[in-house]
Amino acid sequence: VKTALSKKDLTGENILVTAGPTREYIDPIRYISNRSSGKMGYAIAKIAKRRGADVTLISGPVSVKPPADIEVINVETAGEMHAAVMDNISMSSIFIMAAAVSDFMPLETKGSKIDKKEKLSLNLVKTIDILEEAGRFKNKPFIVGFAAETGQRLDRARKKLIDKDIDMIVFNDVSKAGSGFDVDTNEVVIIDRKVERKLPLMSKDDVAMALFDRIKELKDNGVY
Ligand code: CTP
Ligand code: CA
């Protein structure tokens, strides 16, 4: 990993990365979201840049500092993230969907604050699956998804790779110590159409390094 830090082997690649959670508003004050910190996606963007790529980062609301010299497009909702991805994907050679998109959104968002004395019940509808839509494109980039599962559900991750018609999926068990939310480490299995590589617990920067090593390997072998 040490020697790899200096290599500029992603020069010429245009990499689109999404990171962080989305927020789906109930009213102007309240929203539905999830526990994503954005750390994995930000590490990916940073490492891609360091290895010479042009990087665009589409980020949901996070508290991690934006990486230096990277164009960041800030979004809040799944709808906004979808629009930003669609605006940028045709320019990209690699698309990495590390964001934790909210799966559900309220059917309607109230324009003013709901009084807590009102009886509230929420009608939720599914958000657009951004990755699945990207997977249906004709001239698509190399596409990487993430599968955050509770437990060793590699079967669920493999199914997502096939169903969303993408090139690679990064499995992680978020219920495992050191692999959960808001930590600087991750323990993943990189699954592509050929092999599955189980990596030990490592920093998110090193996971990003390993991810690009594998993408490079596949691209250099002319598979993509
Ligand atoms: N994803 C997406 N748009 C959504 C939901 C998910 O692009 N509306 C992407 C995520 O960014 C991730 C991948 O799909 O790269 C898998 O997300 P995950 O939550 O593990 O799977 P889902 O397909 O959403 O199914 P479930 O939450 O039921 O496991
Ligand atoms: Ca989901």
Side-chain angles (χ1 to χ4, degrees), residues 54-196:
D54 277 330
V55 181
T56 302
L57 175 60
I58 298 171
S59 178
V62 294
S63 49
V64 286
K65 256 196 7 234
D69 305 323
I70 291 176
E71 188 200 339
V72 183
I73 301 168
N74 289 296
V75 298
E76 268 196 284
T77 66
E80 288 166 11
M81 184 169 281
H82 173 258
V85 167
M86 294 309 137
D87 280 351
N88 288 278
I89 195 167
S90 64
M91 279 93 81
S92 68
S93 56
I94 300 171
F95 171 47
I96 304 178
M97 191 77 207
V101 184
S102 176
D103 291 316
F104 301 100
M105 62 183 183
L107 178 63
E108 58 164 348
T109 300
K110 297 281 187 216
S112 56
K113 191 181 177 188
I114 300 165
D115 192 311
K116 73 174 180 185
K117 288 198 275 301
E118 285 174 42
K119 184 176 176 291
L120 179 65
S121 66
L122 289 175
N123 266 319
L124 298 178
V125 292
K126 283 215 179 68
T127 56
I128 309 170
D129 193 317
I130 302 168
L131 197 57
E132 193 177 279
E133 186 172 329
R136 283 197 293 261
F137 286 176
K138 269 209 191 72
N139 294 311
K140 54 190 181 188
F142 185 97
I143 303 180
V144 183
F146 272 73
E149 310 289 354
T150 47
Q152 282 299 307
R153 296 302 304 270
L154 277 152
D155 55 320
R156 281 176 54 89
R158 286 180 199 118
K159 190 169 187 305
K160 287 170 188 173
L161 175 79
I162 304 302
D163 288 350
K164 299 185 195 235
D165 201 8
I166 57 175
D167 302 296
M168 183 179 279
I169 196 147
V170 182
F171 163 88
N172 75 315
D173 176 358
V174 292
S175 63
K176 209 168 174 180
S179 257
F181 296 100
D182 214 28
V183 291
D184 294 315
T185 52
N186 208 354
E187 191 178 334
V188 306
V189 182
I190 298 177
I191 305 172
D192 56 56
R193 297 290 182 143
K194 293 199 161 140
V195 296
E196 297 186 5

Side-chain angles (χ1 to χ4, degrees), residues 30-49:
R30 306 174 176 107
Y31 57 78
I32 295 169
S33 193
N34 62 67
R35 291 176 59 194
S36 169
S37 66
K39 283 179 176 174
M40 191 63 245
Y42 276 58
I44 290 168
K46 180 181 75 181
I47 297 298
K49 179 79 187 177

Side-chain angles (χ1 to χ4, degrees), residues 1 5 40 43 47 199 202-211:
V1 176
L5 279 176
M40 191 63 245
I47 297 298
L199 305 181
M202 55 175 78
S203 71
K204 287 184 175 173
D205 282 5
D206 284 347
V207 171
M209 288 295 281
L211 183 60

